[in-house]
Amino acid sequence: MSEKRRSVAKSLTNSIVDIYTLPGQFEALVESVIITNTTSSNINAFLYYYEGASTTQFLIVNNKQISGNDFLRLDNFNINLSKGDKIQAKTASGSDANILISVKEIFTGLL
């Protein structure tokens, strides 16, 4: 099995956005998450884990306030992803925010 590290970044809105979807034939470990408030006003952020096997969405970070021009950093996050799993996020309003996640992907060769 081979491993590679990957970073994925997206802009957030008040609608849930798929940040990372596990590709086929891989398992993955989400190692860290950074949500950056790019405005001078406070925003509130939400982070979700979507479990593909049960088609269930789980709230991980609930309405966390991030001060203007500041960020929320979740190190040693360590969420294991399997086939069909996703990381999703949104803000409480149409605020300007960005998210960056770091993932270690492991090729399994299994579909």
Side-chain angles (χ1 to χ4, degrees):
M1 289 191 281
S2 63
E3 296 181 357
K4 71 175 181 177
R5 285 193 159 65
R6 181 174 172 202
S7 295
V8 179
K10 298 244 177 136
S11 296
L12 297 181
T13 67
N14 61 345
S15 297
I16 295 174
V17 176
D18 291 345
I19 308 305
Y20 176 80
T21 302
L22 183 68
Q25 299 186 329
F26 283 87
E27 291 180 353
L29 177 66
V30 179
E31 297 179 317
S32 67
V33 176
I34 300 171
I35 301 174
T36 303
N37 179 356
T38 59
T39 70
S40 58
S41 301
N42 294 347
I43 65 165
N44 290 26
F46 299 81
L47 187 66
Y48 302 89
Y49 163 69
Y50 177 87
E51 183 180 65
S54 66
T55 64
T56 305
Q57 185 182 64
F58 297 94
L59 184 61
I60 300 169
V61 174
N62 185 15
N63 209 26
K64 175 67 175 168
Q65 186 176 72
I66 304 171
S67 300
N69 300 311
D70 203 358
F71 62 91
L72 169 67
R73 183 178 186 134
L74 304 170
D75 287 322
N76 298 316
F77 203 52
N78 296 330
I79 290 185
N80 293 303
L81 301 180
S82 297
K83 183 179 178 181
D85 293 352
K86 302 176 187 180
I87 298 296
Q88 303 171 311
K90 73 172 191 165
T91 57
S93 61
S95 304
D96 290 330
N98 297 320
I99 185 168
L100 173 72
I101 67 169
S102 296
V103 178
K104 179 170 64 172
E105 293 178 335
I106 302 111
F107 181 74
T108 63
L110 304 174
L111 288 175

XYZ file of all heavy atoms in Angstrom:
860
model
N 0.842 -1.183 0.000
C 0.000 0.000 0.000
C 0.885 1.244 0.000
O 1.802 1.339 0.798
C -0.905 0.007 1.232
C -2.004 -1.034 1.191
S -3.258 -0.830 2.456
C -2.444 -1.520 3.878
N 0.577 2.162 -0.885
C 1.347 3.408 -0.928
C 0.545 4.534 -0.290
O -0.687 4.518 -0.277
C 1.717 3.756 -2.368
O 0.557 3.991 -3.127
N 1.281 5.497 0.237
C 0.671 6.641 0.914
C 1.095 7.929 0.228
O 2.187 8.018 -0.328
C 1.138 6.731 2.372
C 0.747 5.591 3.235
C 1.238 5.772 4.669
O 1.920 6.754 4.981
O 0.926 4.896 5.467
N 0.209 8.924 0.294
C 0.576 10.260 -0.134
C -0.204 11.262 0.700
O -1.311 10.984 1.150
C 0.338 10.482 -1.627
C -1.112 10.576 -2.041
C -1.225 10.921 -3.517
C -2.685 11.039 -3.914
N -2.870 11.424 -5.291
N 0.403 12.407 0.910
C -0.258 13.481 1.645
C -0.824 14.469 0.631
O -0.223 14.721 -0.404
C 0.713 14.147 2.594
C 0.968 13.274 3.796
C 1.666 14.030 4.911
N 1.493 13.399 6.194
C 1.952 12.216 6.548
N 2.603 11.477 5.684
N 1.768 11.744 7.756
N -1.967 15.031 0.983
C -2.661 15.934 0.082
C -3.357 17.017 0.892
O -3.859 16.750 1.981
C -3.687 15.109 -0.694
C -4.471 15.844 -1.688
C -5.328 14.855 -2.468
N -6.227 15.612 -3.304
C -7.345 15.158 -3.788
N -7.724 13.933 -3.525
N -8.097 15.909 -4.538
N -3.374 18.231 0.360
C -4.118 19.331 0.962
C -5.214 19.749 0.004
O -5.021 19.774 -1.214
C -3.203 20.521 1.250
O -2.256 20.167 2.232
N -6.377 20.070 0.572
C -7.530 20.505 -0.212
C -8.071 21.773 0.422
O -8.274 21.829 1.636
C -8.631 19.423 -0.243
C -9.834 19.894 -1.035
C -8.095 18.110 -0.784
N -8.309 22.806 -0.410
C -8.833 24.080 0.078
C -10.090 24.455 -0.699
O -10.189 24.178 -1.899
C -7.782 25.174 -0.058
N -11.035 25.076 0.001
C -12.272 25.543 -0.628
C -12.742 26.807 0.087
O -12.381 27.063 1.233
C -13.379 24.492 -0.519
C -13.081 23.186 -1.207
C -14.024 22.924 -2.332
C -13.639 21.640 -3.038
N -14.723 20.794 -3.358
N -13.588 27.549 -0.590
C -14.280 28.686 0.027
C -15.569 28.181 0.645
O -16.198 27.252 0.119
C -14.602 29.750 -1.023
O -13.423 30.286 -1.550
N -15.976 28.797 1.757
C -17.198 28.389 2.444
C -18.303 29.412 2.247
O -18.041 30.616 2.140
C -16.928 28.222 3.941
C -15.941 27.142 4.336
C -15.794 27.085 5.845
C -16.378 25.785 3.802
N -19.535 28.910 2.228
C -20.730 29.741 2.165
C -21.700 29.230 3.227
O -21.348 28.352 4.017
C -21.394 29.654 0.776
O -21.901 28.320 0.602
C -20.416 29.987 -0.337
N -22.940 29.737 3.192
C -23.924 29.271 4.173
C -24.624 27.984 3.725
O -25.560 27.536 4.372
C -24.939 30.362 4.486
C -25.728 30.798 3.269
O -25.350 30.506 2.144
N -26.812 31.498 3.502
N -24.159 27.385 2.641
C -24.634 26.067 2.218
C -23.523 25.047 2.473
O -22.348 25.358 2.317
C -24.965 26.064 0.728
O -26.019 26.945 0.449
N -23.906 23.840 2.832
C -22.913 22.796 3.090
C -22.157 22.478 1.799
O -22.757 22.260 0.751
C -23.567 21.535 3.669
C -24.158 21.850 5.048
C -22.573 20.386 3.755
C -24.946 20.727 5.653
N -20.835 22.490 1.906
C -19.946 22.240 0.775
C -19.147 20.962 1.056
O -18.650 20.780 2.173
C -18.968 23.426 0.592
C -17.965 23.154 -0.507
C -19.724 24.709 0.333
N -19.040 20.084 0.051
C -18.153 18.930 0.172
C -16.722 19.428 0.045
O -16.329 19.955 -0.989
C -18.421 17.904 -0.929
C -19.759 17.201 -0.769
O -20.356 17.278 0.316
O -20.197 16.567 -1.752
N -15.938 19.279 1.098
C -14.548 19.719 1.091
C -13.653 18.618 0.536
O -12.785 18.856 -0.281
C -14.077 20.108 2.510
C -15.049 21.105 3.157
C -12.652 20.648 2.476
C -15.307 22.361 2.364
N -13.872 17.419 0.989
C -13.046 16.289 0.549
C -13.931 15.054 0.481
O -14.649 14.743 1.439
C -11.899 16.052 1.530
C -11.055 14.844 1.198
C -10.074 14.903 0.218
C -11.251 13.634 1.845
C -9.308 13.787 -0.102
C -10.489 12.519 1.539
C -9.521 12.602 0.566
O -8.762 11.510 0.238
N -13.871 14.364 -0.636
C -14.559 13.089 -0.809
C -13.496 12.034 -1.088
O -12.661 12.210 -1.967
C -15.558 13.152 -1.980
O -16.498 14.204 -1.735
C -16.307 11.841 -2.133
N -13.536 10.979 -0.343
C -12.532 9.928 -0.489
C -12.622 9.290 -1.871
O -13.685 8.825 -2.282
C -12.736 8.861 0.583
C -11.710 7.746 0.592
C -10.346 8.285 1.012
C -12.145 6.630 1.501
N -11.508 9.284 -2.618
C -11.528 8.627 -3.931
C -11.594 7.104 -3.779
O -11.196 6.548 -2.760
C -10.203 9.057 -4.571
C -9.360 9.609 -3.490
C -10.237 9.917 -2.320
N -12.109 6.432 -4.839
C -12.174 4.972 -4.827
C -10.792 4.362 -4.675
O -9.790 4.962 -5.059
N -10.735 3.189 -4.119
C -9.515 2.408 -3.898
C -8.562 3.048 -2.882
O -7.368 2.775 -2.887
C -8.781 2.137 -5.211
C -9.604 1.347 -6.200
C -8.817 0.969 -7.431
O -7.924 1.671 -7.871
N -9.157 -0.177 -7.993
N -9.082 3.914 -2.020
C -8.263 4.561 -0.995
C -8.959 4.503 0.358
O -10.178 4.389 0.452
C -8.033 6.052 -1.330
C -7.018 6.288 -2.396
C -7.390 6.289 -3.731
C -5.687 6.525 -2.084
C -6.462 6.512 -4.733
C -4.750 6.748 -3.073
C -5.136 6.745 -4.402
N -8.155 4.585 1.394
C -8.585 4.970 2.732
C -7.845 6.259 3.012
O -6.849 6.574 2.351
C -8.199 3.908 3.762
C -8.970 2.619 3.617
C -8.557 1.574 4.650
O -7.575 1.803 5.396
O -9.210 0.536 4.691
N -8.314 7.040 3.967
C -7.639 8.306 4.242
C -7.738 8.642 5.717
O -8.638 8.187 6.428
C -8.236 9.435 3.410
N -6.786 9.462 6.140
C -6.752 9.987 7.500
C -6.701 11.506 7.391
O -5.749 12.056 6.838
C -5.511 9.476 8.240
C -5.297 10.001 9.648
C -6.398 9.504 10.578
C -3.938 9.581 10.167
N -7.746 12.172 7.883
C -7.748 13.639 7.925
C -6.907 14.036 9.129
O -7.231 13.705 10.265
C -9.178 14.205 8.048
C -9.146 15.729 8.119
C -10.041 13.742 6.896
N -5.796 14.719 8.859
C -4.836 15.026 9.921
C -5.050 16.393 10.540
O -4.810 16.577 11.731
C -3.419 14.910 9.367
C -3.106 13.493 8.924
C -1.721 13.342 8.343
O -1.291 14.202 7.556
O -1.064 12.357 8.705
N -5.461 17.384 9.751
C -5.684 18.715 10.308
C -6.689 19.480 9.474
O -6.906 19.183 8.298
C -4.376 19.508 10.418
O -3.878 19.800 9.132
N -7.305 20.472 10.124
C -8.285 21.343 9.478
C -8.003 22.766 9.931
O -7.790 23.016 11.121
C -9.729 20.958 9.877
C -10.736 21.932 9.279
C -10.057 19.531 9.489
N -8.006 23.705 8.969
C -7.884 25.126 9.292
C -9.037 25.846 8.601
O -9.214 25.717 7.383
C -6.545 25.720 8.809
C -5.379 24.995 9.462
C -6.490 27.223 9.096
C -4.031 25.365 8.873
N -9.822 26.575 9.390
C -10.887 27.425 8.834
C -10.479 28.863 9.104
O -10.248 29.242 10.257
C -12.253 27.123 9.466
C -12.626 25.649 9.239
C -13.322 28.062 8.888
C -13.887 25.204 9.953
N -10.384 29.663 8.044
C -9.903 31.031 8.151
C -11.027 32.008 7.865
O -11.702 31.910 6.824
C -8.763 31.280 7.140
O -7.732 30.324 7.383
C -8.196 32.676 7.292
N -11.221 32.943 8.783
C -12.172 34.037 8.590
C -11.435 35.147 7.848
O -10.495 35.735 8.388
C -12.688 34.525 9.944
C -13.655 35.667 9.819
O -13.916 36.178 8.737
N -14.202 36.082 10.952
N -11.863 35.446 6.645
C -11.177 36.445 5.828
C -11.828 37.827 5.926
O -11.494 38.719 5.147
C -11.138 35.996 4.355
O -12.477 35.812 3.889
C -10.346 34.715 4.205
N -12.736 37.989 6.890
C -13.397 39.286 7.083
C -12.989 39.876 8.434
O -12.379 39.195 9.265
C -14.931 39.152 7.054
O -15.369 38.467 8.238
C -15.399 38.370 5.830
N -13.368 41.108 8.671
C -13.072 41.744 9.956
C -14.163 41.488 10.991
O -14.008 41.826 12.167
C -12.881 43.254 9.762
O -14.044 43.812 9.183
N -15.278 40.889 10.572
C -16.380 40.564 11.491
C -16.291 39.109 11.937
O -15.725 38.268 11.235
C -17.726 40.785 10.797
O -17.863 42.107 10.370
N -16.894 38.797 13.076
C -16.948 37.420 13.549
C -17.826 36.585 12.615
O -18.813 37.086 12.068
C -17.515 37.347 14.959
C -16.622 37.991 15.983
O -15.456 38.291 15.714
N -17.154 38.230 17.160
N -17.465 35.318 12.466
C -18.299 34.360 11.733
C -18.473 33.121 12.595
O -17.749 32.923 13.578
C -17.692 33.959 10.367
C -16.373 33.186 10.564
C -17.510 35.166 9.462
C -15.904 32.457 9.326
N -19.419 32.280 12.218
C -19.625 31.004 12.885
C -19.490 29.900 11.852
O -20.043 30.003 10.750
C -20.990 30.946 13.555
C -21.062 31.858 14.752
O -20.344 32.859 14.833
N -21.915 31.549 15.686
N -18.766 28.850 12.197
C -18.472 27.774 11.250
C -18.992 26.432 11.766
O -19.096 26.204 12.978
C -16.971 27.687 11.012
N -19.273 25.573 10.809
C -19.752 24.216 11.076
C -18.902 23.248 10.260
O -18.585 23.523 9.106
C -21.207 24.057 10.635
C -22.173 24.976 11.333
C -22.312 26.289 10.905
C -22.932 24.529 12.388
C -23.204 27.146 11.524
C -23.833 25.380 13.016
C -23.964 26.688 12.585
N -18.579 22.105 10.855
C -17.804 21.070 10.170
C -18.529 19.747 10.367
O -18.994 19.441 11.472
C -16.394 21.002 10.760
C -15.382 20.105 10.078
C -15.050 20.635 8.677
C -14.109 20.011 10.902
N -18.614 18.967 9.275
C -19.362 17.712 9.300
C -18.510 16.557 8.776
O -17.672 16.738 7.906
C -20.598 17.803 8.392
C -21.549 18.902 8.733
C -21.399 20.173 8.167
C -22.620 18.694 9.593
C -22.279 21.194 8.454
C -23.507 19.716 9.896
C -23.327 20.961 9.318
O -24.210 21.977 9.612
N -18.807 15.378 9.309
C -18.294 14.122 8.775
C -19.490 13.398 8.181
O -20.493 13.176 8.863
C -17.658 13.288 9.897
C -17.464 11.826 9.556
C -16.531 11.437 8.612
C -18.219 10.842 10.181
C -16.353 10.096 8.298
C -18.050 9.504 9.875
C -17.121 9.139 8.937
O -16.953 7.812 8.618
N -19.403 13.049 6.909
C -20.462 12.305 6.236
C -19.984 10.870 6.067
O -18.963 10.619 5.426
C -20.771 12.927 4.869
C -21.802 12.156 4.085
C -23.156 12.394 4.255
C -21.405 11.186 3.165
C -24.104 11.681 3.537
C -22.349 10.468 2.438
C -23.694 10.717 2.627
O -24.629 10.014 1.915
N -20.727 9.939 6.654
C -20.384 8.524 6.577
C -21.128 7.892 5.406
O -22.368 7.793 5.427
C -20.751 7.822 7.883
C -20.359 6.369 7.915
C -20.745 5.729 9.229
O -21.945 5.636 9.513
O -19.824 5.336 9.960
N -20.370 7.507 4.380
C -20.963 6.966 3.168
C -21.735 5.671 3.379
O -22.786 5.464 2.780
N -21.230 4.794 4.235
C -21.857 3.481 4.439
C -23.279 3.606 4.984
O -24.162 2.832 4.616
C -21.009 2.628 5.371
N -23.504 4.586 5.856
C -24.835 4.759 6.450
C -25.575 5.962 5.880
O -26.699 6.237 6.286
C -24.715 4.917 7.968
O -24.044 6.137 8.279
N -24.940 6.688 4.970
C -25.458 7.946 4.411
C -25.935 8.893 5.519
O -26.984 9.509 5.429
C -26.581 7.720 3.366
O -27.705 7.120 3.994
C -26.093 6.867 2.208
N -25.105 8.996 6.560
C -25.433 9.827 7.711
C -24.408 10.939 7.862
O -23.207 10.709 7.737
C -25.457 8.975 9.004
O -26.365 7.887 8.820
C -25.880 9.797 10.199
N -24.892 12.126 8.155
C -24.037 13.301 8.363
C -23.918 13.552 9.873
O -24.929 13.603 10.570
C -24.678 14.502 7.682
C -23.856 15.748 7.718
C -24.617 16.883 7.051
O -25.663 17.287 7.543
N -24.105 17.363 5.948
N -22.668 13.689 10.344
C -22.418 13.922 11.759
C -21.782 15.296 11.948
O -20.803 15.619 11.269
C -21.480 12.844 12.325
C -22.056 11.467 12.272
C -21.778 10.633 11.197
C -22.888 11.002 13.277
C -22.305 9.354 11.125
C -23.425 9.722 13.220
C -23.134 8.898 12.140
N -22.325 16.072 12.861
C -21.790 17.392 13.160
C -20.570 17.247 14.062
O -20.636 16.607 15.112
C -22.866 18.236 13.860
C -22.546 19.672 14.174
C -22.257 20.469 12.908
C -23.713 20.312 14.928
N -19.438 17.825 13.636
C -18.196 17.736 14.396
C -17.916 19.046 15.120
O -17.581 19.061 16.301
C -17.004 17.400 13.477
C -17.228 16.067 12.786
C -15.699 17.390 14.248
C -16.248 15.790 11.680
N -18.013 20.161 14.400
C -17.824 21.497 14.977
C -19.141 22.235 14.810
O -19.625 22.402 13.686
C -16.677 22.261 14.284
C -16.598 23.687 14.786
C -15.352 21.537 14.492
N -19.732 22.657 15.919
C -21.074 23.230 15.913
C -21.060 24.724 16.190
O -20.823 25.140 17.327
C -21.954 22.518 16.946
C -23.387 22.980 16.907
O -23.823 23.617 15.958
N -24.122 22.656 17.951
N -21.278 25.512 15.142
C -21.490 26.950 15.311
C -20.333 27.625 16.055
O -20.538 28.478 16.904
C -22.819 27.186 16.033
C -23.463 28.490 15.658
O -23.241 29.029 14.580
N -24.268 29.022 16.556
N -19.111 27.226 15.729
C -17.916 27.750 16.391
C -17.618 29.163 15.893
O -17.423 29.386 14.702
C -16.715 26.834 16.113
C -15.397 27.339 16.644
C -15.365 27.365 18.141
C -13.982 27.769 18.630
N -13.964 28.078 20.023
N -17.578 30.110 16.818
C -17.284 31.489 16.447
C -15.787 31.658 16.169
O -14.951 31.225 16.949
C -17.709 32.454 17.542
C -17.548 33.915 17.112
C -18.061 34.870 18.163
O -17.435 35.020 19.208
N -19.190 35.486 17.886
N -15.503 32.293 15.040
C -14.130 32.620 14.668
C -14.068 34.134 14.533
O -14.810 34.725 13.741
C -13.717 31.937 13.351
C -13.904 30.418 13.457
C -12.264 32.278 13.010
C -13.720 29.677 12.145
N -13.224 34.766 15.311
C -13.101 36.218 15.302
C -12.648 36.719 13.940
O -12.054 35.986 13.152
C -12.100 36.679 16.367
O -12.532 36.275 17.643
N -12.911 38.003 13.686
C -12.509 38.617 12.431
C -11.018 38.464 12.179
O -10.207 38.622 13.088
N -10.658 38.117 10.951
C -9.259 37.937 10.526
C -8.491 36.937 11.380
O -7.286 37.072 11.577
C -8.541 39.284 10.505
C -9.205 40.248 9.553
O -9.487 39.906 8.410
N -9.493 41.448 10.019
N -9.194 35.934 11.886
C -8.567 34.909 12.719
C -8.868 33.546 12.093
O -9.472 33.454 11.031
C -9.107 34.999 14.148
C -8.175 34.394 15.178
O -7.111 33.853 14.799
O -8.511 34.444 16.380
N -8.441 32.481 12.766
C -8.650 31.145 12.224
C -8.887 30.144 13.344
O -8.547 30.376 14.500
C -7.457 30.702 11.366
C -6.162 30.606 12.114
C -5.778 29.422 12.707
C -5.335 31.712 12.236
C -4.581 29.324 13.399
C -4.138 31.631 12.921
C -3.763 30.432 13.510
N -9.476 29.035 12.973
C -9.656 27.886 13.854
C -8.784 26.784 13.293
O -8.875 26.445 12.109
C -11.119 27.435 13.856
C -11.420 26.092 14.533
C -11.168 26.195 16.026
C -12.855 25.674 14.249
N -7.916 26.238 14.133
C -7.019 25.171 13.699
C -7.276 23.926 14.538
O -7.236 23.986 15.772
C -5.570 25.610 13.845
C -4.596 24.577 13.357
C -3.171 25.065 13.479
N -2.289 24.117 12.867
C -1.313 24.423 12.049
N -1.063 25.681 11.768
N -0.553 23.492 11.531
N -7.521 22.812 13.871
C -7.741 21.529 14.528
C -6.598 20.610 14.126
O -6.580 20.063 13.024
C -9.087 20.931 14.102
C -10.312 21.818 14.328
C -11.529 21.230 13.653
C -10.556 22.007 15.808
N -5.615 20.481 15.005
C -4.466 19.600 14.760
C -4.747 18.224 15.334
O -5.593 18.053 16.206
C -3.209 20.165 15.425
C -2.671 21.376 14.700
O -2.712 21.392 13.458
O -2.224 22.310 15.381
N -3.992 17.250 14.877
C -4.160 15.872 15.346
C -5.622 15.451 15.285
O -6.153 14.852 16.207
C -3.615 15.715 16.771
C -2.142 16.008 16.835
O -1.380 15.566 15.987
N -1.741 16.791 17.816
N -6.252 15.823 14.195
C -7.688 15.600 14.000
C -7.996 14.112 13.922
O -8.895 13.610 14.561
C -8.111 16.343 12.733
C -9.547 16.679 12.662
C -10.187 17.331 13.692
C -10.272 16.353 11.535
C -11.516 17.644 13.612
C -11.602 16.670 11.438
C -12.228 17.321 12.477
N -7.249 13.395 13.084
C -7.276 11.938 13.006
C -8.665 11.326 12.831
O -9.094 10.491 13.617
C -6.577 11.321 14.214
C -5.114 11.677 14.240
O -4.495 11.866 13.201
N -4.550 11.789 15.423
N -9.340 11.724 11.765
C -10.593 11.080 11.387
C -10.284 10.149 10.216
O -9.765 10.578 9.186
C -11.670 12.105 10.996
C -12.117 12.852 12.235
C -12.849 11.410 10.327
C -13.251 13.794 12.006
N -10.598 8.870 10.395
C -10.379 7.884 9.344
C -11.563 7.891 8.392
O -12.718 7.857 8.827
C -10.222 6.485 9.949
C -8.957 6.380 10.751
O -7.874 6.620 10.244
N -9.085 6.029 12.028
N -11.268 7.919 7.105
C -12.310 7.908 6.088
C -12.257 6.609 5.303
O -11.181 6.108 4.980
C -12.135 9.082 5.125
C -12.161 10.476 5.735
C -11.968 11.535 4.654
C -13.451 10.726 6.492
N -13.437 6.086 5.014
C -13.583 4.881 4.205
C -14.415 5.216 2.975
O -14.898 6.335 2.829
C -14.265 3.784 5.026
O -13.464 3.432 6.135
N -14.628 4.234 2.134
C -15.328 4.426 0.869
C -16.619 5.236 1.045
O -17.454 4.904 1.884
C -15.653 3.069 0.258
C -16.310 3.132 -1.088
C -16.571 1.750 -1.631
C -17.278 1.837 -2.973
N -17.559 0.505 -3.498
N -16.743 6.301 0.256
C -17.958 7.122 0.259
C -18.013 8.191 1.337
O -18.959 8.976 1.387
N -17.021 8.252 2.224
C -17.020 9.240 3.300
C -16.588 10.611 2.783
O -15.845 10.710 1.805
C -16.075 8.821 4.432
C -16.553 7.590 5.173
O -17.684 7.120 4.936
O -15.775 7.088 6.009
N -17.031 11.655 3.482
C -16.714 13.029 3.088
C -16.473 13.888 4.329
O -16.984 13.593 5.406
C -17.886 13.683 2.347
C -18.360 12.995 1.126
C -19.581 13.733 0.577
C -20.208 12.974 -0.567
N -21.394 13.670 -1.097
N -15.765 14.978 4.117
C -15.694 16.074 5.082
C -16.440 17.237 4.438
O -16.208 17.565 3.271
C -14.239 16.463 5.402
C -13.492 15.291 6.042
C -14.186 17.703 6.288
C -14.040 14.859 7.404
N -17.340 17.841 5.202
C -18.162 18.934 4.705
C -18.099 20.103 5.675
O -17.793 19.913 6.859
C -19.624 18.486 4.571
C -19.821 17.276 3.676
C -21.228 16.732 3.749
O -21.762 16.525 4.820
N -21.834 16.507 2.586
N -18.422 21.306 5.190
C -18.394 22.487 6.058
C -19.304 23.568 5.505
O -19.714 23.533 4.336
C -16.968 23.011 6.191
N -19.596 24.553 6.367
C -20.339 25.748 5.966
C -20.128 26.820 7.019
O -19.573 26.565 8.093
C -21.828 25.456 5.803
C -22.573 25.243 7.118
C -24.061 25.156 6.899
C -24.808 25.214 8.231
N -26.224 25.473 8.049
N -20.565 28.037 6.710
C -20.611 29.111 7.700
C -22.070 29.398 8.021
O -22.975 28.981 7.288
C -19.935 30.398 7.178
O -20.573 30.788 5.962
C -18.451 30.187 6.948
N -22.310 30.115 9.120
C -23.683 30.408 9.537
C -24.350 31.420 8.622
O -25.551 31.438 8.471
C -23.702 30.902 10.980
N -23.585 32.292 8.026
C -24.120 33.254 7.076
C -23.226 33.220 5.853
O -22.274 32.457 5.796
C -24.146 34.646 7.689
O -22.833 35.054 8.016
N -23.504 34.054 4.880
C -22.702 34.054 3.664
C -21.355 34.719 3.860
O -20.902 35.473 3.019
N -20.730 34.467 4.966
C -19.456 35.098 5.315
C -18.336 34.596 4.429
O -18.410 33.514 3.859
C -19.099 34.798 6.772
O -20.136 35.201 7.621
N -17.281 35.399 4.336
C -16.100 34.993 3.591
C -15.191 34.181 4.503
O -14.653 34.693 5.479
C -15.338 36.217 3.073
C -16.097 36.934 1.977
O -16.849 36.267 1.246
O -15.944 38.154 1.855
N -15.062 32.909 4.185
C -14.194 32.020 4.949
C -13.601 30.994 4.001
O -14.179 30.682 2.961
C -14.970 31.329 6.067
N -12.454 30.489 4.372
C -11.785 29.440 3.614
C -11.501 28.275 4.538
O -11.349 28.459 5.745
C -10.473 29.950 3.019
C -10.684 31.052 2.025
O -11.607 31.020 1.228
N -9.829 32.060 2.059
N -11.399 27.096 3.961
C -11.045 25.910 4.732
C -9.928 25.183 4.011
O -9.901 25.127 2.781
C -12.272 24.987 4.948
C -11.910 23.812 5.876
C -12.846 24.513 3.628
C -13.116 23.033 6.365
N -9.003 24.659 4.784
C -7.899 23.857 4.268
C -7.815 22.603 5.119
O -7.770 22.691 6.354
C -6.579 24.628 4.351
C -5.318 23.844 4.008
C -5.250 23.573 2.512
C -4.085 24.581 4.470
N -7.830 21.454 4.464
C -7.643 20.212 5.214
C -6.429 19.482 4.663
O -6.124 19.555 3.479
C -8.891 19.298 5.195
C -9.173 18.750 3.800
C -10.103 20.010 5.739
C -10.213 17.653 3.811
N -5.730 18.800 5.553
C -4.584 17.969 5.192
C -4.975 16.516 5.407
O -5.483 16.161 6.479
C -3.368 18.314 6.031
O -2.964 19.633 5.762
N -4.722 15.708 4.380
C -5.165 14.320 4.378
C -4.008 13.414 3.991
O -3.211 13.748 3.118
C -6.310 14.137 3.347
C -6.768 12.708 3.274
C -7.474 15.041 3.664
N -3.929 12.282 4.656
C -3.008 11.227 4.233
C -3.855 10.156 3.560
O -4.732 9.563 4.195
C -2.243 10.644 5.409
C -1.296 9.517 4.985
C -0.345 9.081 6.087
C -1.043 8.496 7.265
N -0.141 7.903 8.256
N -3.611 9.931 2.252
C -4.349 8.926 1.507
C -3.507 7.653 1.422
O -2.301 7.708 1.188
C -4.646 9.417 0.091
C -5.605 10.577 0.060
C -5.870 11.099 -1.339
O -5.033 10.933 -2.243
O -6.941 11.706 -1.516
N -4.180 6.520 1.608
C -3.531 5.220 1.531
C -4.219 4.411 0.442
O -5.423 4.142 0.526
C -3.600 4.466 2.880
C -2.942 5.292 3.985
C -2.943 3.098 2.784
C -3.915 5.808 4.993
N -3.452 4.034 -0.574
C -3.996 3.237 -1.675
C -4.190 1.810 -1.198
O -3.253 1.163 -0.726
C -3.057 3.288 -2.873
C -3.570 2.503 -4.046
C -4.609 2.970 -4.806
C -2.987 1.281 -4.375
C -5.084 2.238 -5.887
C -3.454 0.549 -5.455
C -4.514 1.022 -6.210
N -5.437 1.314 -1.311
C -5.740 -0.057 -0.889
C -5.940 -0.983 -2.088
O -5.787 -2.195 -1.959
C -7.017 -0.107 -0.026
O -8.124 0.341 -0.823
C -6.870 0.751 1.212
N -6.323 -0.402 -3.230
C -6.608 -1.202 -4.421
C -7.966 -1.869 -4.370
O -8.368 -2.553 -5.305
N -8.709 -1.673 -3.281
C -10.026 -2.296 -3.131
C -11.118 -1.324 -3.524
O -11.078 -0.160 -3.147
C -10.253 -2.730 -1.682
C -9.209 -3.673 -1.099
C -9.481 -3.905 0.376
C -9.208 -5.003 -1.844
N -12.081 -1.792 -4.281
C -13.225 -0.940 -4.647
C -14.345 -1.089 -3.672
O -14.549 -2.035 -3.040
C -13.713 -1.262 -6.060
C -12.791 -0.808 -7.160
C -13.321 -1.280 -8.506
C -12.668 0.702 -7.172
